[in-house]
């Protein structure tokens, strides 16, 4: 201090500034940085009259904070270098560190006991129809199981193993993974324009032989190994499509867990599908009967009209391999798959057309793979499928054994597929 005008007072020299009765250097004083009372935040220093962050202890200044770039996942190795989600920063580099029970494969942590892309070890991928079980690629037992293991599985051919370690070998089957929740295995496809393969008398209904290929399953007649070997299904889907393009369907509860082969060893009118679980029939041709009108399904369906269903030469029972009592019974109007309507009226006399159905020697009536009924001239507004056994005459008479009398083509190209789940 100095004495000035008779009193003592503080005079700051050497570039210092008087702040609260003291002389301070505002270029370096953290409590008065640049001007009196301008205190720097905790952890900062005053340099050149401005507050600044100075990091110590091996830390690095990133923005307004000091951080250890050797371990900071937001500033790994250098400021602003953030590690991807799921990775951590170790020794200044982003890296995957997997929790117990998981293995690092590339830049991801996986469970090699269940990961189909890394089954048992990194890069060991399972086939699309397999799941990783206990670190081993395993062929699953159904299309439903495949879809459950891989919700992104698409429609197509898959291999299934219906009995696991049992004696039956895996086989290929067409799977529908989209319609009505997906997970459906194709047992049968009827292409109603390819040469009349599956009418009533065709032994493919009751034997274990296969027909067609899985690769072309929806563009030709096809009977798959699922018909013979897939047991335990609780639902069935009867689909109408045109060369694979879905037009409508009805979903039923399956009556039992038998294979289709076993069901067809039963007698007439064996119940196959009970209550309807769901349907999409709005876009179907109005005269289509089987899918649009059915509330249940039977195999070896036989509507009796004056004669026994299984034998005899009187009356005119109508037969369908798969049909429904709800599709206008006992009036030759019922729709079905594998048809033989007025089955006793056929040529030559005495010939059996399967399951004890015997002809009585009258003119041949009509058969078809699907959508049976009678021509509109009979007053019953029925139609036959596009693949009738003989030429459709649309005449109401019995003339000519080589004609499909009393029949009229339906004018649509519907195909029918039966799926199990």
């Amino acid at each position: 201090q100095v004495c000035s005008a008779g009193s003592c007072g503080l005079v700051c020299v050497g570039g210092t500034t008087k702040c609260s009765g003291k002389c301070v250097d505002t270029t370096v004083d953290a409590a008065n940085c640049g001007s009196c009372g301008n205190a720097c935040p905790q952890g900062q220093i005053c340099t050149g009259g401005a507050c600044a962050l100075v990091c110590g202890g091996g830390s690095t200044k990133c923005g307004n904070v000091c951080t250890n770039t050797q371990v900071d996942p937001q500033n790994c190795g250098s400021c602003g270098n953030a590690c991807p989600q799921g990775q951590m920063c170790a020794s200044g580099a982003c890296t995957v560190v997997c929790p117990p029970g998981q293995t690092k494969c590339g830049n991801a942590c996986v469970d090699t006991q269940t990961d189909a892309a890394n089954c048992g070890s990194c890069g060991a991928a399972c086939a699309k129809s397999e799941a990783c079980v206990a670190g081993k690629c395993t062929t699953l037992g159904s299309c439903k199981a495949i879809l459950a293991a891989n919700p992104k599985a698409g429609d197509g051919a898959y291999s299934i193993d219906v009995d696991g370690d049992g004696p039956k070998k895996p086989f290929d089957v067409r799977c529908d993974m989209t319609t009505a929740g997906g997970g459906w295995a194709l047992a049968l496809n009827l292409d109603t324009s390819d040469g009349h393969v599956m009418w009533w008398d065709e032994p493919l209904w009751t034997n274990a032989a296969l027909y067609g290929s899985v690769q072309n399953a929806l563009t030709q007649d096809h009977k798959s190994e699922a018909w013979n070997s897939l047991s335990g299904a609780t639902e069935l889907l009867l689909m109408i499509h045109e060369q694979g393009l879905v037009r409508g369907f009805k979903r039923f509860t399956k009556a039992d867990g038998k294979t289709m082969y076993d069901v067809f060893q039963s007698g007439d009118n064996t119940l196959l599908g009970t209550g309807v679980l769901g349907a999409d029939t709005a876009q179907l041709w109005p005269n289509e009967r089987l899918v649009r009108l059915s509330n249940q399904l039977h195999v070896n369906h036989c509507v009796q009209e004056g004669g026994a269903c299984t034998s005899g030469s009187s009356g005119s029972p109508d037969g369908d391999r798969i049909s429904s009592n709800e599709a206008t019974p006992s009036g030759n109007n019922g729709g079905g798959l594998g048809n033989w309507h007025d089955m006793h009226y056929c040529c030559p006399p005495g010939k059996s057309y399967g399951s004890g159905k015997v002809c009585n020697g009258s003119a041949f009536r009509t058969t078809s793979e699907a959508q049976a009924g009678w021509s509109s001239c009979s007053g019953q507004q029925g139609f036959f499928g596009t693949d009738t056994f003989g030429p459709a005459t649309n005449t109401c008479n019995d003339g000519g054994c080589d004609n499909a009398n009393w029949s009229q083509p339906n004018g649509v190209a519907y195909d029918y597929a039966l799926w199990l789940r």
Side-chain angles (χ1 to χ4, degrees):
Q1 293 186 1
V2 297
C3 182
S4 176
S7 64
C8 294
L10 184 67
V11 177
C12 296
V13 296
T16 61
T17 302
K18 179 181 177 183
C19 293
S20 300
K22 295 182 180 180
C23 291
V24 300
D25 186 349
T26 59
T27 64
V28 295
D29 189 339
N32 302 275
C33 189
S35 61
C36 292
N38 183 38
C40 293
Q42 186 176 2
Q44 294 189 19
I45 65 172
C46 184
T47 177
C51 295
L53 186 67
V54 176
C55 299
S59 62
T60 301
K61 178 185 175 184
C62 290
N64 290 321
V65 297
C66 293
T67 187
N68 186 350
T69 58
Q70 295 297 292
V71 296
D72 185 354
Q74 299 303 314
N75 302 278
C76 190
S78 61
C79 294
N81 183 40
C83 293
Q85 186 176 3
Q87 295 189 19
M88 63 180 296
C89 185
S91 300
C94 295
T95 184
V96 174
V97 177
C98 298
Q102 294 192 2
T103 301
K104 179 183 176 183
C105 291
N107 290 322
C109 293
V110 301
D111 184 349
T112 57
Q113 296 297 292
T114 59
D115 189 342
N118 303 278
C119 189
S121 62
C122 294
C126 297
K128 69 173 184 176
S129 55
E130 295 177 328
C132 186
V133 180
K136 181 180 179 181
C137 292
T138 303
T139 301
L140 298 174
S142 67
C143 296
K144 182 178 180 180
I146 293 171
L147 185 61
N150 179 14
K152 295 183 179 180
D155 298 347
Y158 292 83
S159 180
I160 62 174
D161 188 354
V162 296
D163 63 348
D165 294 331
K168 294 182 178 180
K169 296 181 179 180
F171 59 86
D172 289 342
V173 66
R174 173 84 182 189
C175 293
D176 184 312
M177 300 302 198
T178 53
T179 304
W184 300 98
L186 181 64
L188 178 74
N189 185 63
L190 293 186
D191 187 321
T192 58
S193 59
D194 66 349
H196 198 81
V197 175
M198 292 284 283
W199 67 297
W200 179 284
D201 186 36
E202 174 54 52
L204 284 168
W205 289 108
T206 54
N207 66 23
L210 307 182
Y211 193 91
S213 68
V214 173
Q215 288 71 25
N216 300 316
L218 294 177
T219 57
Q220 62 180 17
D221 275 298
H222 177 61
K223 179 187 169 191
S224 82
E225 181 58 35
W227 181 277
N228 303 319
S229 299
L230 186 59
S231 61
T234 59
E235 299 178 45
L236 61 89
L237 185 77
L238 194 56
M239 175 192 292
I240 290 180
H241 65 97
E242 294 183 76
Q243 298 293 290
L245 183 62
V246 179
R247 296 303 189 191
F249 63 83
K250 188 163 282 186
R251 181 167 60 99
F252 300 86
T253 298
K254 194 169 181 295
D256 55 50
K258 293 181 179 180
T259 66
M260 291 297 296
Y261 173 86
D262 288 336
V263 172
F264 270 85
Q265 308 312 307
S266 307
D268 288 327
N269 300 330
T270 299
L271 190 62
L272 173 64
T274 57
V276 174
L277 298 173
D280 180 1
T281 61
Q283 303 302 315
L284 293 180
W285 172 58
N287 287 314
E288 198 286 324
R289 298 177 181 276
L290 178 61
V291 172
R292 288 182 65 252
L293 301 183
S294 293
N295 292 323
Q296 59 182 178
L297 295 176
H298 290 79
V299 302
N300 303 325
H301 187 219
C302 182
V303 176
Q304 183 174 331
E305 288 194 63
C309 290
T310 57
S311 62
S313 59
S314 62
S316 57
D318 301 329
D320 301 288
R321 285 300 187 182
I322 297 178
S323 192
S324 169
N325 281 332
E326 282 68 43
T328 316
S330 68
N332 300 316
N333 270 339
L337 307 182
N339 303 285
W340 186 6
H341 280 229
D342 270 14
M343 60 180 62
H344 285 303
Y345 294 95
C346 51
C347 302
K351 178 175 174 57
S352 172
Y353 283 96
S355 303
K357 308 302 188 293
V358 180
C359 304
N360 72 354
S362 182
F364 183 80
R365 300 288 176 93
T366 190
T367 62
S368 66
E369 280 193 318
Q371 287 182 232
W374 287 103
S375 62
S376 57
C377 71
S378 66
Q380 299 186 67
Q381 298 181 345
F383 293 81
F384 279 87
T386 56
D387 194 9
T388 56
F389 188 77
T393 63
N394 195 29
T395 58
C396 295
N397 62 66
D398 297 339
C401 294
D402 295 330
N403 295 326
N405 300 295
W406 299 81
S407 66
Q408 177 181 343
N410 57 34
V412 295
Y414 287 159
D415 299 327
Y416 288 77
L418 189 147
W419 308 77
L420 301 174
R421 181 169 73 183

